[in-house]
Amino acid sequence: GESVGLHLPTLSVQEGDNSIINCAYSNSASDYFIWYKQESGKGPQFIIDIRSNMDKRQGQRVTVLLNKTVKHLSLQIAATQPGDSAVYFCAENTVGGADGLTFGKGTHLIIQP
Amino acid sequence: ETGVTQTPRHLVMGMTNKKSLKCEQHLGHNAMYWYKQSAKKPLELMFVYSLEERVENNSVPSRFSPECPNSSHLFLHLHTLQPEDSALYLCASSYRDSATGELFFGEGSRLTVL
């Protein structure tokens, strides 16, 4: 079956450093990829998305890169802050509409002071 | 305030109890969802409602019974659950035909089955 996975369950970075969270996917037909952030005790929140016809998209302190050749997605967070500590999920949308979201397991980002 | 409100936030129940989880969305969306989130596992889609009709049921055991009385409210009725059903249950809403599939989640109901 198709799957979306994250390379590392936990990533620890120093406050102020940049962090990169990776995601591998297997369905080349995916149209959209979405990154969610889930803080402790809260539900997942949308961070940024990218369409399959793009390679890069930037938001506020976040950048998503898509490499369709190797089916790899990454989330870069610049100048990490304590509030960035959370679990980050990637999700892919293969059939259109929210029914088609397939989620990865998540990477726990820990910001060290 | 996320726009999607879930109650209760925490629930402890015995295997013979009957309880319900409630979700309300204030975003004007036309689809609502129940997801199960267990430790170290991806989010699992349980039910999808679009315009108050169930459009998907991912082989969820009958001890979970959803109800969607209108486009703003969603319930998950629980009865004779098992300890392995302990998890975070997340409600979400969206526009069903959204091209991106973006979901708006509530903060979840943490369920513990004893």
Side-chain angles (χ1 to χ4, degrees), chain B residues 5-97:
Chain B
T5 304
Q6 290 187 242
T7 56
R9 293 293 310 279
H10 300 274
L11 178 63
V12 179
M13 59 187 291
M15 293 168 62
T16 58
N17 292 157
K18 290 184 179 181
K19 297 287 184 182
S20 297
L21 307 180
K22 179 183 176 181
C23 177
E24 183 174 0
Q25 60 100 358
H26 314 276
L27 301 170
H29 291 154
N30 59 4
M32 297 186 76
Y33 310 77
W34 281 115
Y35 279 85
K36 178 182 179 181
Q37 187 175 38
S38 304
K40 300 182 179 180
K41 293 177 70 175
L43 286 169
E44 300 173 58
L45 178 63
M46 300 175 71
F47 300 103
V48 181
Y49 275 83
S50 177
L51 300 174
E52 302 141 48
E53 289 189 15
R54 188 191 307 179
V55 296
E56 187 162 342
N57 171 359
N58 281 356
S59 301
V60 179
S62 59
R63 57 186 184 269
F64 295 92
S65 175
E67 178 188 0
C68 188
N70 55 61
S71 61
S72 298
H73 293 86
L74 184 66
F75 295 89
L76 187 63
H77 303 300
L78 316 169
H79 62 98
T80 59
L81 295 190
Q82 304 298 310
E84 59 264 30
D85 297 323
S86 297
L88 182 68
Y89 289 85
L90 290 162
C91 174
S93 68
S94 77
Y95 292 111
R96 181 81 196 286
D97 295 326

Side-chain angles (χ1 to χ4, degrees), chain A residues 4 31-34 36 38 40-47 49 51 87 89 93 96-106, chain B residues 2 9 31 33 35 37 40-43 45 48 55-56 88 90 94-108:
Chain A
V4 177
D31 297 324
Y32 279 96
F33 302 87
I34 304 174
Y36 282 90
Q38 186 174 21
S40 179
K42 296 187 177 181
Q45 287 186 298
F46 174 92
I47 301 175
D49 63 0
R51 293 191 64 174
V87 177
F89 299 92
N93 186 345
D99 305 8
L101 282 180
T102 301
F103 287 86
K105 292 182 181 180
Chain B
T2 64
R9 293 293 310 279
Y33 310 77
Y35 279 85
Q37 187 175 38
K40 300 182 179 180
K41 293 177 70 175
L43 286 169
L45 178 63
V48 181
V55 296
E56 187 162 342
L88 182 68
L90 290 162
S94 77
Y95 292 111
R96 181 81 196 286
D97 295 326
S98 165
T100 65
E102 181 183 349
L103 292 169
F104 294 77
F105 286 91
E107 301 206 327

